[in-house]
């Protein structure tokens, strides 16, 4: 079971969710297209990747042959592709901890939190260690059972020796520091995927609102440079929202509204400290909420406490009110924040509180006599509390659907004793994720629970082994922070982990598969990313699924719509393949950045700002926007 980290809003522990440190772009900013040379000849194609099957007893993987080195321009090798970023830079000099490095083919398994009235905002976070190709096994007979002659034996021995050296180096890099489990400590910028938009039942694939543009080729609409950051310092810049009038993004101790087509500043809300928590939801009037620190952090005091809660009118660019709550005589430090109906709800280890988003009127606060506490909330279509009772190691979690105006409990599902953390993937239908038992490949998810909102009864439980599926949640402090998972059509959509493609040894790819929330079984639907691409669910669009495809080294990323019934993919947008543009795009991973797509425009942004670029001389970006013509 994942052990509890230090309280949130501290510098993230090593190996947890920290600022991404992907391969730095080789060109600063967006430059002219770079010449591309063709990739090396592809080896003989490997068998295609089929539908994930029901879980089976693990078998020892057959290691492929050592891939030849690339001859052309640098491809995206294993360990630098999607899902394999470099170890995130840790604030204030903390050292990263290892993460698991599983091999093998994906098996069955799920994600999604809809963003009603928010155009499917999709922030994310989380990191994985690089994965090197499997090395050939020694001692295998030659094809046809012939014996290996002495010359061949020398060659094989040399290859094995190299493999052991390389393998040993990888093991050392990935194993220093303990058991190799991911640290799912608190971090900014994560989110649930699309959910809460049922879009019909049974996967019939009701039509969505997103239309195919006349020309799907996108260009850069604008980019927002990262503000200057002091040396050895990392700030949270958590939060991004899109309305029909404005694209809003948190900066360092501010929230700025931009014209969604031109990128010109429309308004700026200055704050005394960084935005430490941001709701991914907003009301139908485009009101949302943030939590921020009352002062800027320093090396001596790395946090001033995430104690201030504010409501923001995104269209007007106004801060409506600021509130705090106390436990005894001390201000409560908030771990999470969300919006449902007209309510702002915040959770913490001291309990939960809520305010009317329009007026700031207090709706409820923690009670000193409570033996249980609301650790956090999931918002959107409904308001769901993750309520904790008991001591660590003997925890009892309650998943409660509550009235957002009064806090009255509507339904209550008790999870099995001993489960310490849970995440709200979707509030309607109610889907909860938890890491149950020891799953070294999991990052907040090993099982998904489908729960009836009205009765609180369990509908079904779905097993999602962490080494087979790429969905992740941070249920330790942020119960709503899931990513790469979506819920709709009474189904949950989840990507498989990466595996080798068929184009060449360096191609990585994956699929999105669906599980029925009533039966817990796979539906048989599968959306292939395609060789060199990796695909991630973003949100629902009616009965259709919107997904992002991270590109190979010579292409731009894509947004596709997947029909909920046929699973047919339709391309909605394709970014430029220019190297300088692609470098910026691929530095913002779907599991560590905020992605929003709506009506032919894709907005990508960071959730941390650090001085990484100053040490490399490369220009860093806070956000970038793409749009079709």
């Amino acid at each position: 079971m994942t052990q509890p980290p230090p309280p949130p809003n501290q510098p993230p522990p090593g190996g947890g969710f920290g600022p991404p440190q992907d391969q730095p772009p080789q060109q600063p900013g967006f430059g002219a297209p770079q010449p591309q040379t063709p990739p090396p000849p592809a080896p003989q194609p490997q068998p295609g990747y089929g539908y994930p099957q029901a879980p089976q007893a693990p078998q020892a993987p057959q290691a492929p042959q050592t891939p030849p080195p690339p001859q052309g321009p640098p491809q995206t090798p294993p360990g630098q592709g999607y899902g394999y970023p470099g170890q995130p830079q840790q604030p204030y000099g903390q050292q990263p901890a290892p993460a698991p490095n599983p091999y093998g083919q994906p098996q069955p398994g799920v994600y999604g939190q809809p963003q009603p009235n928010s155009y499917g905002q999709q922030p994310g976070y989380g990191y994985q260690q690089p994965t090197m190709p499997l090395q050939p096994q020694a001692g295998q007979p030659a094809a046809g059972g012939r014996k290996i002659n002495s010359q061949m034996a020398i060659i094989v021995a040399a290859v094995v020796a190299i493999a052991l050296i390389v393998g040993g180096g990888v093991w050392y890099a990935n194993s220093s520091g303990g058991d190799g489990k991911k640290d799912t400590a608190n971090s900014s910028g994560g989110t649930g995927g699309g959910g809460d938009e049922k879009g019909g039942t049974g996967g019939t694939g009701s039509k969505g609102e997103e239309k195919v543009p006349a020309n799907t080729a996108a260009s850069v609409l604008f980019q927002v440079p990262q503000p200057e950051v002091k040396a050895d310092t990392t700030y949270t810049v958590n939060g991004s929202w899109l309305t029909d009038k404005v694209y809003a993004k948190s900066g360092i101790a501010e929230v700025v509204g931009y014209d969604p087509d031109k990128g010109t500043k429309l308004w700026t809300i200055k704050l005394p400290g960084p935005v430490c928590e941001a709701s991914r939801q907003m009301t139908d009037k485009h009101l949302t909420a943030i939590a921020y620190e009352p002062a800027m952090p320093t090396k001596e005091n790395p946090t001033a406490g995430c104690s201030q809660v504010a409501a923001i009118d995104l269209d007007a660019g106004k801060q409506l009110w600021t509130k705090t709550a106390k436990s005894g005589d001390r201000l409560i430090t908030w771990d999470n924040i969300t919006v449902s109906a007209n309510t702002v709800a915040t959770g913490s280890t001291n309990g939960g509180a809520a305010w009317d988003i329009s007026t700031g009127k207090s709706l409820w606060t923690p009670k000193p006599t409570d033996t249980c506490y609301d650790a956090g909330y999931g918002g959107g279509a409904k308001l769901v509390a993750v309520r904790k009772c008991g001591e660590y190691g003997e925890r009892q979690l309650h998943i409660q659907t509550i009235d957002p105006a009064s806090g009255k409990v509507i339904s209550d599902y008790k999870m099995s004793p001993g489960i310490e953390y849970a995440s709200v993937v979707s509030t309607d239908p109610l889907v909860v994720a938890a890491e149950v038992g020891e799953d070294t490949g999991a990052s907040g998810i090993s099982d998904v629970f489908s729960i009836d909102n009205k009765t609180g009864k369990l509908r079904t439980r779905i097993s999602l082994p962490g080494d087979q599926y790429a969905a992740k949640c941070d249920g330790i402090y942020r119960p709503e922070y899931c990513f790469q998972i979506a819920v709709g059509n009474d189904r949950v959509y989840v990507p498989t982990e990466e595996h080798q493609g068929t184009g060449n040894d360096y191609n990585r790819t994956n699929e999105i598969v669906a599980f029925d929330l009533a039966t817990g079984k796979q539906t048989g639907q599968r959306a292939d990313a395609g060789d060199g691409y990796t695909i991630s669910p973003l949100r629902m669009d009616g009965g259709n699924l919107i997904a992002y495809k991270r590109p190979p080294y010579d292409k731009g990323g894509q947004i596709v719509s997947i029909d909920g019934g046929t699973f047919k993919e339709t391309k909605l947008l394709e970014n430029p393949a220019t190297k300088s543009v692609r470098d910026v795009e691929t530095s913002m991973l779907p599991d560590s950045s905020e992605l929003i797509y709506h009506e032919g425009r894709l907005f990508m942004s960071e959730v941390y700002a650090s001085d990484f670029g100053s040490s490399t001389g490369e220009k860093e970006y806070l956000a970038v926007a793409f749009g079709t013509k």
Side-chain angles (χ1 to χ4, degrees):
M1 193 66 183
T2 306
Q3 296 302 314
N9 310 311
Q10 301 289 333
F17 299 105
Q21 187 174 333
D22 202 6
Q23 287 290 85
Q26 298 185 16
Q27 300 291 335
F30 296 98
Q34 302 298 316
Q36 300 287 341
T37 57
Q44 292 297 319
Q46 302 299 317
Y49 182 77
Y51 291 86
Q53 303 298 317
Q56 300 177 359
Q59 299 179 359
Q62 292 297 322
Q65 296 298 313
T66 306
Q71 302 299 320
Q75 302 190 40
T76 304
Q80 302 299 334
Y82 162 74
Y84 297 92
Q87 186 70 310
Q89 181 173 345
Q90 302 297 324
Y92 308 113
Q94 296 198 34
Q95 297 300 314
N101 187 12
Y103 295 114
Q105 295 295 327
Q107 297 290 330
V110 206
Y111 172 103
Q113 173 75 6
Q115 319 299 334
N117 308 312
S118 66
Y119 303 119
Q121 178 180 342
Q122 178 72 15
Y125 59 101
Y127 304 89
Q128 290 179 290
Q129 289 280 26
T131 301
M132 297 298 292
L134 291 171
Q135 302 298 333
Q137 294 179 340
Q140 295 295 329
R146 291 175 294 179
K147 295 182 179 179
I148 301 176
N149 59 32
S150 58
Q151 183 178 3
M152 181 60 70
I154 294 173
I155 295 174
V156 170
V159 171
V160 171
I162 294 173
L164 290 174
I165 293 172
V166 174
V170 172
W171 178 87
Y172 180 81
N174 287 341
S175 62
S176 59
D179 58 7
K181 284 182 66 65
K182 287 184 186 292
D183 187 335
T184 54
N186 177 36
S187 78
S188 298
T191 186
D196 293 357
E197 296 182 59
K198 294 183 180 180
T201 58
T204 56
S206 60
K207 293 182 179 179
E209 296 180 356
E210 299 293 349
K211 306 301 180 184
V212 181
N215 184 356
T216 59
S219 59
V220 177
L221 297 178
F222 63 89
Q223 60 271 357
V224 180
Q226 176 184 280
E228 183 177 352
V229 178
K230 296 179 181 179
D232 302 320
T233 304
T234 295
Y235 297 102
T236 57
V237 287
N238 184 22
S240 62
W241 306 266
L242 178 66
T243 77
D244 53 355
K245 296 180 180 180
V246 64
Y247 168 68
K249 172 62 189 164
S250 295
I252 297 177
E254 64 180 8
V255 180
V256 181
Y258 302 90
D259 182 289
D261 291 310
K262 301 176 182 178
T264 53
K265 284 188 179 182
L266 301 178
W267 50 260
T268 301
I269 297 174
K270 291 292 186 180
L271 302 166
V275 177
C276 38
E277 301 295 339
S279 171
R280 299 183 304 279
Q281 320 290 347
M282 60 182 172
T283 70
D284 56 0
K285 295 182 179 180
H286 302 156
L287 307 183
T288 193
I290 60 172
Y292 62 91
E293 298 183 38
M296 294 298 293
T298 63
K299 286 187 177 180
E300 293 74 21
N301 297 297
T303 178
C306 190
S307 59
Q308 314 294 304
V309 176
I312 294 177
D313 184 327
L314 293 170
D315 287 336
K318 294 181 179 180
Q319 182 173 331
L320 302 179
W321 49 260
T322 297
K323 300 292 181 179
T324 60
K326 289 186 176 182
S327 176
D329 59 352
R330 301 185 64 180
L331 290 177
I332 295 176
T333 296
W334 304 110
D335 298 332
N336 52 78
I337 188 168
T338 193
V339 170
S340 180
N342 208 47
T343 295
V344 176
T346 58
S348 75
T349 54
N350 292 111
W355 297 267
D356 183 284
I357 196 169
S358 300
T359 65
K361 176 185 176 182
S362 177
L363 301 178
W364 66 82
T365 56
K367 296 179 177 61
T369 57
D370 277 353
T371 56
C372 302
Y373 63 94
D374 288 357
Y377 302 91
K382 295 183 183 296
L383 186 60
V384 174
V386 176
R387 189 166 178 82
K388 296 189 176 185
C389 301
E391 300 295 329
Y392 180 81
E394 299 179 354
R395 191 80 71 196
Q396 174 73 71
L397 297 188
H398 295 252
I399 308 300
Q400 298 178 334
T401 299
I402 62 178
D403 179 356
S406 65
K408 179 181 178 181
V409 176
I410 298 172
S411 67
D412 186 334
Y413 171 71
K414 295 181 181 180
M415 303 196 75
S416 299
I419 297 177
E420 297 290 341
Y421 313 106
S423 300
V424 180
V425 178
S426 168
T427 61
D428 187 22
L430 180 53
V431 177
V432 173
E435 187 173 336
V436 182
E438 294 294 333
D439 186 342
T440 57
S443 183
I445 299 180
S446 65
D447 295 84
V448 167
F449 301 78
S450 174
I451 302 168
D452 187 290
N453 277 98
K454 296 180 180 180
T455 65
K457 293 182 178 179
L458 181 68
R459 298 176 65 199
T460 190
R461 176 174 170 176
I462 302 168
S463 176
L464 296 176
D467 59 348
Q468 298 169 14
Y469 297 94
K472 297 177 178 66
C473 290
D474 177 13
I476 295 180
Y477 290 116
R478 291 184 168 105
E480 198 179 36
Y481 273 41
C482 293
F483 50 94
Q484 298 197 145
I485 187 170
V487 173
N489 301 320
D490 207 35
R491 295 177 178 182
V492 61
Y493 302 95
V494 61
T496 64
E497 282 285 3
E498 292 182 21
H499 57 86
Q500 184 171 315
T502 59
N504 60 59
D505 288 342
Y506 290 100
N507 272 354
R508 306 293 292 176
T509 190
N510 74 329
E511 298 77 31
I512 290 176
V513 295
F515 289 82
D516 190 297
L517 290 176
T519 66
K521 297 180 179 179
Q522 282 199 44
T523 65
Q525 296 167 309
R526 184 190 70 175
D528 295 306
D531 268 346
Y533 291 90
T534 46
I535 190 169
S536 302
L538 292 185
R539 64 173 175 88
M540 299 304 297
D541 174 34
N544 298 332
L545 175 66
I546 302 297
Y548 170 71
K549 288 187 175 183
R550 189 169 189 268
Y553 80 95
D554 58 347
K555 303 287 185 182
Q558 297 179 2
I559 293 292
V560 297
S561 176
I562 302 172
D563 186 278
T566 66
F567 247 47
K568 177 183 178 182
E569 296 180 33
T570 301
K571 184 167 62 176
L572 300 178
L573 173 147
E574 183 167 13
N575 288 334
T578 306
K579 182 180 182 302
S580 56
V581 177
R582 191 179 64 252
D583 283 345
V584 176
E585 176 187 356
T586 55
S587 71
M588 298 183 184
L589 301 177
D591 63 358
S592 61
S593 304
E594 299 168 334
L595 274 67
I596 304 175
Y597 175 81
H598 182 66
E599 291 185 348
R601 294 174 301 193
L602 172 64
F603 301 86
M604 308 177 73
S605 64
E606 301 284 9
V607 296
Y608 283 95
S610 69
D611 68 334
F612 171 74
S614 63
S615 62
T616 63
E618 304 294 349
K619 189 169 185 177
E620 295 293 300
Y621 290 92
L622 184 66
V624 58
F626 301 93
T628 56
K629 300 177 181 179

